[in-house]
């Protein structure tokens, strides 16, 4: 055990999956985990938000996506235009429920960006707010503000737990620990005794808020197993104390709104069925309905024919309880049914058994329909609770599937356990990475995978590695939970990523394979979810190796994400590369959109927003030629922020034969670009890039120095332009009259201008039609001051006349910068 603790610390899921050749069960298959991540806010809810440009005014916004304590919002009036979407933190942003401004005499005012679209503000508000659902006031104000409702079940909170041996009874339990919604519960009155502790997920149908038993006519008394530990008077004292402290320790009732509703059953006493004992879910056995309590609950007992038996395996069920099946279910599914202890012979026959017992089989109509659309497959990996020791969460492998039931082999448990039978809707199974995300110890396999330094490169099999990048996976894991990550209370922070099958798939991705992808992936850990998304995209490509090349991390470029190794197989060869994946929820939408643009597909093909009807990019009406014109590589020379160098992509090359054959694609070293080179991000990116790195952005002093040299030249020769393109001769004075414009007076330093500031300036000049190019190519103030005539002509595809006119205004800004701010 002493040695194994070191191994446990070093276990890494990525390494383990790679070494075992297994895949992780999809995050979307764990519905209870998905529900636990909801923060009480839902897409479509409306709220009043302070306008960024004027903090004294507010406007109505709609929630687009939720992610922990982060909300993705869009001001009403932007319609389907997602370019103005913005993330905000519930804890720090100025957010309020609908009607707050009116109550507090605050100003509701249309933001500048959509002022022209809303001529009548009052009429617009009446229309959009009619029948609208406001964000809950209690989640925006007071003690609960910004908290995931799940976190309100804190240690010390009290709940009521129905007795699994008698469902008409319940007793108070204290929350000892809350691990991602999985609660360690201790019966009230047993403060120092952990012998009877239980682990249950907070959505368990037998778990309720305090007061539930009294409201529904159930008896509130300690279960038989602990009743003898105290006198009746002591138990009554405990009840009195609980009622006095009810407000302090209560849990909000709306926390249980997503709990499964228990329907009415149609079982009768004496009916026979097949069942799995939840306390030992290793075999399927004949069972009997022992008692019917009411329309919701009944008790079943695992059959035992031994005359000397002293105990029984009985437990309370409801119509949706897992592990109960009709007679002959095992036979129809090719499974072994364990005969009852004491049954004569090994060949169990239901017809004979029913005759011997004088009983009837429970009809098929008593049992719920089984769900076979769940996403689990054989050999998938997940994390599962050990039924013998609920403290343990182990690595589990799906060994068999039947309808909506899994057979799981647990690895690494302290004591070997047989294969467990669990429902796909069990709340005791979790996706890969759940323990790590929630800070709980996962039991690794006995032979743990010890992390080692690993060479990662894009290679061709049995060939020399051209280049490598050393990544230490231990550091990699630390980065996932580092302080600069947006990890919401230690929980998952990545929203669902939707595959929008209607959108244009571009030249690299196979439309047919894209259509076969799941509707969504996640939510979950950002790195794991995005890695799964990219792997699905690579596998959906015409040439997976080509897509892997497009996604490969630019080693020399500034990046602030997380390096992940992805693999591709093509024509029997394996390729691998390091790909940058973002780690925080606020960057997911931008990452997805930019990745789409890299792959020359519709920017909405995948991302945290579902395209329900019509794509906002209108990609369905564009031909492939037109689409490539807007999103493809023909226009990939962009100005933006000078990047200061780009990637070295590598894969082995094949020597061409003497005969001319179709040229094969291979990865080559890209030529390094100088600091004046252009960014290769395709035009059309809607998000404003805010990256500022030393390698890619000039400092103010460097910029001032270089621009000062230009100023000296201008003193010698005022208003002249240099032309590097021999094909474009400077126009004669007869063609263009250059007049020194009126001196420009700037209100702010151009070095600090945002893209919006640059666009605003251009719209005030006679070059207003060109403002759209600056917006698309994300040219901010620093980039504007570095523009020259050759750069403008090359990167904006402008003819000489308009280019000179544009540069005239850029020179005016530069001159004003020297005179007002260069010092």
């Amino acid at each position: 055990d002493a040695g194994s603790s070191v191994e446990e610390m070093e276990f890494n899921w990525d390494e383990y999956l790679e070494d075992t050749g297994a895949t992780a069960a999809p995050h979307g298959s764990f519905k209870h985990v998905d529900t636990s991540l909801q923060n009480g806010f839902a897409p479509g809810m409306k709220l009043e938000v302070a306008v960024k440009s004027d903090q004294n005014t507010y406007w109505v916004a709609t929630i687009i996506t939720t992610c922990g304590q982060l909300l993705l919002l869009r001001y009403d009036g932007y319609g389907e235009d997602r370019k103005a979407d913005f993330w905000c933190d519930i804890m720090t942003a100025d957010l309020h429920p609908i009607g707050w401004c009116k109550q507090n005499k605050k100003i509701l005012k249309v933001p500048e960006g959509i002022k022209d679209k809303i001529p009548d503000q009052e009429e617009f508000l009446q229309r959009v707010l009619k029948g609208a659902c406001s964000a809950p006031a209690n989640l925006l104000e007071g003690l609960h503000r910004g908290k995931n409702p799940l976190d309100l079940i804190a240690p010390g909170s009290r709940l009521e737990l129905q007795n699994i041996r008698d469902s008409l009874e319940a007793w108070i339990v204290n929350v000892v620990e809350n691990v991602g919604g999985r609660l360690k519960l201790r019966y009230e009155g047993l403060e120092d005794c952990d012998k009877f502790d239980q682990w249950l997920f907070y959505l368990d149908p037998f778990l309720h808020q305090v007061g539930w038993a009294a409201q529904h006519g159930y008896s509130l008394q300690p279960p038989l197993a602990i009743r003898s530990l105290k006198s009746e008077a002591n138990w009554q004292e405990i009840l009195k104390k609980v009622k006095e402290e009810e407000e302090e320790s209560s849990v909000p009732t709306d926390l249980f709104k997503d709990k499964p509703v228990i329907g009415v059953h149609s079982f009768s006493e004496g009916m026979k069925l097949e069942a799995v004992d939840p306390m030992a879910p290793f075999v399927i056995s004949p069972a009997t309905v022992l008692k019917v309590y009411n329309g919701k609950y009944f008790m079943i007992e695992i059959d035992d024919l031994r005359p000397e038996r002293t105990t029984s395996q009985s437990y309370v069920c409801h119509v949706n309880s897992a592990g109960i099946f009709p007679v002959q279910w095992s036979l129809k599914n090719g499974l072994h049914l364990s005969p009852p202890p004491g049954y004569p012979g090994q060949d169990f026959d239901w017809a004979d058994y029913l005759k011997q017992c004088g009983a009837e089989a429970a009809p098929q109509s008593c049992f719920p329909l089984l769900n076979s659309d769940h996403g689990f497959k054989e050999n998938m990996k997940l994390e599962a609770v050990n039924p013998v020791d609920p403290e343990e969460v182990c690595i589990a492998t799906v060994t068999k599937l039947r309808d909506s039931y899994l057979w799981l082999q647990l690895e690494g448990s302290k004591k070997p356990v047989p294969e467990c039978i669990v429902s796909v809707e069990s709340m005791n199974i979790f996706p890969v990475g759940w323990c790590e995300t929630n800070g709980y110890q996962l039991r690794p396999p006995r032979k743990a995978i010890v992390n080692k330094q690993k060479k990662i490169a894009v290679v061709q099999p049995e060939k020399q590695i051209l280049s490598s990048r050393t990544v230490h996976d231990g550091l990699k894991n630390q980065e996932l939970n580092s302080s600069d990550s947006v990890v919401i209370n230690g929980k998952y922070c990545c929203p669902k990523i939707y595959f929008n099958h209607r959108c244009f798939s571009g030249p690299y991705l196979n439309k047919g394979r894209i259509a076969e992808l799941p509707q969504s992936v996640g939510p979950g850990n950002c790195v794991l979810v995005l890695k799964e998304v990219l792997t699905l995209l690579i596998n959906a490509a015409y040439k997976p190796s080509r897509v892997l090349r497009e996604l490969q991390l630019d080693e020399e470029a500034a990046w602030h994400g997380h390096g992940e190794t992805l693999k591709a197989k093509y024509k029997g060869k394996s390729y691998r590369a390091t790909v940058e994946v973002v780690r925080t929820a606020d960057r997911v939408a931008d990452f997805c959109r930019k990745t789409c643009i890299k792959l020359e597909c519709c920017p909405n093909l995948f991302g945290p927003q579902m395209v329900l009807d019509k794509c906002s990019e209108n990609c369905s009406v564009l031909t492939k030629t037109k689409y490539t014109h807007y999103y493809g590589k023909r226009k990939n020379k962009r100005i933006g922020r000078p990047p200061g160098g780009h990637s070295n992509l590598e894969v082995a090359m094949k020597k061409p034969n003497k005969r001319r054959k179709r040229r094969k694609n291979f990865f080559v070293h890209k030529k390094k670009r100088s600091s004046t080179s252009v960014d290769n991000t395709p035009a059309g990116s809607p998000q404003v890039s805010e990256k500022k790195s030393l390698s890619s952005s000039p400092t103010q002093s460097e910029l001032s120095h270089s621009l000062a040299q230009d100023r000296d030249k201008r003193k010698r020769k005022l208003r002249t332009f240099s032309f590097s393109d021999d094909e474009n001769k400077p126009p004669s004075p007869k063609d263009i009259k250059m007049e020194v414009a009126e001196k420009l007076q700037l209100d702010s330093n151009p070095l600090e201008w945002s893209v919006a500031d640059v666009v605003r300036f251009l719209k005030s000049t006679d070059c207003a039609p060109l403002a759209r190019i600056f917006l698309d190519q994300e040219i901010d103030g620093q980039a504007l001051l570095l523009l020259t005539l050759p750069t403008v002509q090359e990167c904006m595809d402008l003819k000489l006349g308009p280019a000179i006119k544009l540069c005239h205004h850029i020179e005016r800004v530069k001159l004003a910068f020297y005179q007002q701010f260069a010092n």
Side-chain angles (χ1 to χ4, degrees):
D1 282 341
S4 67
S5 63
V6 178
E7 292 180 343
E8 286 171 14
M9 289 173 61
E10 295 182 340
F11 175 77
N12 178 278
W13 259 116
D14 288 342
E15 286 282 320
Y16 184 67
L17 290 173
E18 185 173 343
D19 288 355
T20 56
T23 57
H27 282 79
S29 296
F30 303 88
K31 302 291 189 300
H32 60 299
V33 176
D34 196 353
T35 302
S36 72
L37 300 175
Q38 306 306 316
N39 58 6
F41 297 93
M45 285 181 176
K46 294 187 184 293
L47 59 168
E48 293 173 356
V49 189
V51 178
K52 287 185 178 181
S53 56
D54 184 357
Q55 292 292 322
N56 295 319
T57 66
Y58 296 79
W59 189 240
V60 176
T62 301
I63 297 174
I64 305 300
T65 301
T66 69
C67 182
Q69 68 189 50
L70 299 178
L71 301 177
L72 182 64
L73 302 177
R74 182 185 302 163
Y75 286 122
D76 281 17
Y78 276 97
E80 295 300 314
D81 184 4
R82 54 192 286 187
K83 294 178 183 176
D85 292 1
F86 58 97
W87 287 97
C88 66
D89 189 326
I90 303 163
M91 294 296 289
T92 57
D94 197 356
L95 308 173
H96 304 280
I98 296 298
W100 180 86
C101 284
K102 189 175 181 179
Q103 292 171 6
N104 293 274
K105 298 180 180 178
K106 298 291 183 182
I107 302 168
L108 273 175
K109 184 180 176 184
V110 184
E112 286 295 326
I114 49 174
K115 208 170 185 179
D116 55 338
K117 295 182 181 179
I118 305 175
D120 188 337
Q121 176 176 313
E122 291 302 317
E123 185 274 333
F124 176 81
L125 285 175
Q126 282 182 8
R127 180 160 45 85
V128 298
L129 294 179
K130 186 177 181 181
C133 177
S134 172
N138 66 310
L139 296 179
L140 292 169
E141 299 160 354
L143 294 174
H144 295 170
R145 175 179 178 144
K147 287 190 176 180
N148 186 319
L150 183 60
D151 296 325
L152 300 178
I153 312 178
S157 300
R158 288 191 177 108
L159 296 163
E160 287 181 3
L161 176 63
Q162 276 178 273
N163 188 347
I164 197 166
R165 302 295 180 194
D166 184 348
S167 70
L168 300 184
E169 293 180 355
W171 186 244
I172 300 101
V173 284
N174 269 293
V175 177
V176 178
E177 199 174 344
N178 179 354
V179 181
R182 189 166 180 257
L183 310 178
K184 186 176 184 180
L185 304 169
R186 183 168 298 166
Y187 286 118
E188 186 72 37
L190 305 184
E191 286 75 15
D192 301 320
C193 176
D194 62 0
K195 181 182 176 183
F196 299 96
D197 286 359
Q198 297 182 54
W199 281 92
L200 288 176
F201 203 73
Y202 81 104
L203 295 172
D204 191 285
F206 286 84
L207 201 57
H208 312 277
Q209 70 271 21
V210 171
W212 175 88
Q215 290 170 13
H216 293 82
Y218 288 74
S219 169
L220 195 62
Q221 55 182 323
L224 207 56
I226 66 167
R227 202 172 295 173
S228 61
L229 298 178
K230 291 183 185 291
S231 67
E232 184 60 30
N234 286 340
W235 289 122
Q236 291 305 317
E237 278 294 318
I238 290 167
L239 261 184
K240 186 179 176 183
K241 178 189 172 189
V242 168
K243 287 178 181 176
E244 289 172 356
E245 299 173 356
E246 190 171 334
E247 279 192 25
E248 298 171 26
S249 61
S250 64
V251 171
T253 55
D254 60 352
L255 190 68
F256 299 95
K257 64 180 174 29
D258 296 315
K259 204 166 70 168
V261 177
I262 296 175
V264 177
H265 72 81
S266 54
F267 287 94
S268 302
E269 287 184 13
M271 283 182 173
K272 295 286 185 183
L273 65 156
E274 297 181 3
V276 174
D277 183 355
M279 303 302 171
F282 311 121
V283 295
I284 305 173
S285 308
T288 306
V289 177
L290 191 64
K291 185 176 180 180
V292 172
Y293 293 100
N294 51 29
K296 285 190 175 181
Y297 302 104
F298 56 96
M299 178 179 279
I300 72 167
E301 180 181 48
I302 304 298
D303 286 0
D304 189 336
L305 306 180
R306 293 173 297 183
E308 70 276 11
R309 70 168 181 155
T310 54
T311 59
S312 67
Q313 292 172 275
S314 59
Y315 53 95
V316 174
C317 290
H318 50 84
V319 69
N320 293 319
S321 286
I324 55 175
F325 315 100
V327 161
Q328 304 286 12
W329 186 82
S330 297
L331 182 66
K332 289 175 183 175
N333 286 278
L335 300 167
H336 175 67
L337 181 71
S338 294
Y343 181 80
Q346 289 298 312
D347 297 327
F348 180 83
D349 181 79
W350 260 116
D352 289 344
Y353 185 61
L354 289 171
K355 200 170 181 181
Q356 289 170 21
C357 298
E360 62 171 328
Q364 180 72 49
S365 58
C366 289
F367 301 88
L369 293 174
L370 296 178
N371 168 32
S372 57
D373 182 23
H374 44 67
F376 290 101
K377 293 180 182 176
E378 283 187 15
N379 297 320
M380 279 184 169
K381 301 283 184 182
L382 58 145
E383 299 176 5
V385 174
N386 181 351
V388 175
D389 182 0
E391 289 272 350
E392 283 188 356
V393 179
C394 305
I395 290 171
T397 306
V398 179
T399 59
K400 190 161 48 186
L401 285 130
R402 293 294 184 273
D403 287 328
S404 57
Y405 285 84
L406 310 173
W407 273 250
L408 299 179
Q409 181 64 60
L410 302 186
E411 303 172 38
S413 55
K414 290 176 184 174
K415 296 177 181 178
V417 191
E419 285 187 350
C420 309
I421 305 169
V422 299
S423 164
V424 295
E425 294 176 352
S426 167
M427 296 183 194
N428 282 328
I429 58 174
F430 304 94
V432 161
W434 184 85
C435 279
E436 181 187 358
T437 304
N438 289 285
Y440 195 78
Q441 179 62 59
L442 173 71
R443 292 290 303 178
R446 285 180 176 78
K447 294 180 180 178
I449 308 297
V450 180
N451 294 321
K452 297 175 182 177
Q453 284 198 335
K454 193 175 176 189
K455 300 282 186 177
I456 298 175
V458 179
V459 299
Q460 189 172 2
E462 300 176 3
K463 295 275 184 176
Q464 179 184 359
I465 295 178
L466 300 178
S467 175
S468 65
R469 183 169 184 264
T470 304
V471 177
H472 191 277
D473 290 320
L475 174 62
K476 187 168 71 173
N477 286 336
Q478 289 172 24
E479 288 177 347
L480 276 175
N481 293 311
S482 63
S483 58
D484 62 338
S485 296
V486 182
V487 177
I488 311 305
N489 299 324
K491 307 294 186 294
Y492 291 139
C493 60
C494 184
K496 275 188 182 179
I497 304 298
Y498 295 96
F499 290 105
N500 297 309
H501 301 133
R502 291 189 183 93
C503 292
F504 184 80
S505 56
Y508 300 133
L509 303 176
N510 185 315
K511 182 73 174 175
R513 291 179 192 162
I514 289 290
E516 294 172 0
L517 295 181
Q519 186 181 27
S520 64
V521 173
N525 180 296
C526 273
V527 172
L528 296 176
V529 170
L530 293 176
K531 185 176 177 181
E532 184 177 346
V533 167
L534 294 181
T535 301
L536 288 170
L537 288 172
I538 289 168
N539 293 335
Y542 291 107
K543 294 183 179 179
S545 55
R546 175 72 189 273
V547 169
L548 187 62
R549 182 182 75 175
E550 295 299 324
L551 297 175
Q552 182 172 345
L553 174 69
D554 283 351
E555 291 186 10
E556 295 179 13
W559 60 288
H560 306 283
H562 180 80
E564 277 293 321
T565 306
L566 295 185
K567 294 181 288 188
K569 288 186 178 180
Y570 183 58
K571 290 188 175 180
K573 296 173 183 175
S574 295
Y575 301 81
R576 67 169 56 186
T578 304
V579 174
E580 179 185 1
V581 178
V582 296
R583 295 177 295 177
T584 59
D586 56 330
R587 300 178 63 205
V588 167
D590 189 42
F591 171 82
C592 291
R593 194 170 178 95
K594 286 181 177 176
T595 303
C596 285
I597 292 169
K598 266 186 191 178
L599 299 179
E600 299 183 40
C601 56
C602 174
N604 291 337
L605 181 67
F606 68 93
Q609 188 170 2
M610 185 191 296
V611 174
L612 295 173
D613 185 22
K614 189 178 179 185
C615 173
S616 59
E617 300 292 334
N618 210 22
C619 65
S620 60
V621 301
L622 293 174
T623 64
K624 193 168 184 176
T625 306
K626 283 183 181 176
Y627 199 92
T628 306
H629 174 83
Y630 291 109
Y631 294 103
K633 303 235 168 130
R634 192 191 74 78
K635 286 220 169 193
N636 70 350
K637 289 185 176 181
R638 303 185 54 213
I639 298 170
R641 176 92 54 203
H646 266 271
S647 118
N648 291 324
L649 299 176
E650 292 144 21
V651 154
M653 306 184 295
K654 279 192 174 182
K655 292 183 180 179
N657 295 333
K658 291 184 179 178
R659 287 179 60 192
R660 185 179 181 84
K661 290 185 177 179
R662 182 179 174 191
R663 188 170 181 181
K664 295 191 176 182
N665 291 325
F666 49 81
F667 300 178
V668 296
H669 287 278
K670 284 186 180 177
K671 185 176 180 181
K672 287 185 183 178
R673 299 186 180 188
S674 67
S675 61
T676 56
S677 69
V678 294
D679 191 341
N680 73 340
T681 311
S685 175
Q687 306 285 346
V688 177
S689 175
E690 297 292 338
K691 293 180 182 177
K692 289 183 171 64
S693 67
L694 293 174
S695 63
S696 60
S697 302
T699 63
Q700 185 165 336
S701 60
E702 289 169 344
L703 190 59
S704 301
H705 178 71
S706 62
L707 295 178
Q709 292 177 336
D710 290 344
R711 180 174 53 182
D712 294 338
K713 292 179 184 176
R714 234 189 336 273
K715 286 180 182 177
R716 296 193 294 271
K717 191 171 184 179
L718 185 63
R719 298 290 176 195
T720 62
F721 295 85
S722 62
F723 300 89
S724 61
D725 190 346
D726 295 334
E727 295 176 6
N728 292 323
K729 292 168 60 179
S732 65
K734 294 178 183 178
D735 298 323
I736 296 177
K737 294 181 180 179
M738 295 294 293
E739 297 177 1
V740 177
E742 182 182 341
K743 182 180 177 183
L744 187 64
Q745 189 69 27
L746 300 177
D747 295 330
S748 59
N749 189 340
L751 277 175
E752 299 169 357
W753 282 5
S754 65
V755 176
D757 295 330
V758 171
V759 169
R760 200 173 294 117
F761 165 73
L762 284 172
K763 284 185 175 178
S764 69
T765 71
D766 56 358
C767 289
L770 303 178
R772 181 68 195 178
I773 300 174
F774 281 69
L775 180 63
D776 287 343
Q777 300 198 14
E778 300 174 3
I779 300 171
D780 61 7
Q782 291 189 23
L784 179 76
L785 292 175
L786 291 172
L787 292 182
T788 62
L789 183 62
T791 311
V792 165
Q793 280 185 278
E794 178 187 359
C795 299
M796 294 186 180
D797 288 339
L798 293 181
K799 292 182 180 178
L800 190 59
I804 289 178
K805 188 188 289 188
L806 174 61
C807 285
H808 170 62
H809 292 293
I810 294 171
E811 291 294 308
R812 292 177 65 209
V813 174
K814 288 181 182 178
L815 184 60
F817 166 75
Y818 300 141
Q819 294 172 341
Q820 293 179 240
F821 304 102
N823 294 332

